[in-house]
Amino acid sequence: MKKLFLFVALSVLVLSACANNDSQSNTISTVELTERENAILTITSDKSFVFDFDIDSEYKELSVWVEKYEFGKLVDDKINSIITPVETSGSIVFATSKWDGSVKHQAFNIGISSNGSTGSSSNLIENLTGLDKMSSVWGDFLEENKSIEGELVLASICYSSDDSGMSSLSNDFYNDVEGHMGELDKYDVVYLLKAEFNIGENGGDS
């Protein structure tokens, strides 16, 4: 599973990076995938998200992780996580494995590519009985060239046993997470993909 995802992540990261010609310094954006890139991720994963970032030289490291909430309460702050050096620009891929009807688990995969190097992390989430029978919605932030300052929520996957009028998290949530945490209360389970860019010890020095 991890080797398969790594191949997929590499393919999508390389292709998407080539298409990103309008980047702005210290920002992150959702990637508009080509038909081929969409096909690769659709075939190999259940849900997937791809982001491109562009950073100044003072930023040396990127942390990406997944948090789990149940009815608005944080129950696991590190479902999966990765910390890797970054430089100038790069991409992030987050993908979940396809459901297997006979097995109640799912893999959460994260890949980061920057300056010709790629790192990945895969974690198998078990005891998901019933989750595959719930309705789900997913989404990411809509803002182009979003500032990388502080802790970011990049994407969400939400599950609910009550699908009446179910909708994804608002864009206001991504812009002001603390002020809109109440949005998580209406879902049985929510997974949030978070990221933080870290300045090196000598960041800003010439």
Side-chain angles (χ1 to χ4, degrees), residues 54-96:
D54 185 79
I55 55 177
D56 289 339
S57 59
E58 63 181 353
Y59 289 97
K60 304 297 185 183
E61 188 179 72
L62 171 59
S63 301
V64 180
W65 68 98
V66 179
E67 295 179 350
K68 179 182 180 181
Y69 293 78
E70 294 181 354
F71 299 103
K73 304 297 184 183
L74 178 64
V75 296
D76 194 334
D77 62 354
K78 287 288 174 65
I79 288 289
N80 191 11
S81 63
I82 183 173
I83 301 176
T84 186
V86 288
E87 183 179 344
T88 309
S89 61
S91 300
I92 302 169
V93 173
F94 172 54
T96 62

Side-chain angles (χ1 to χ4, degrees), residues 5-6 9-10 13 82 84 91 110-114 117-121:
F5 170 72
L6 181 57
L10 279 168
L13 291 169
I82 183 173
T84 186
S91 300
I110 300 171
I112 300 173
S113 175
S114 179
S117 299
T118 299
S120 66
S121 176

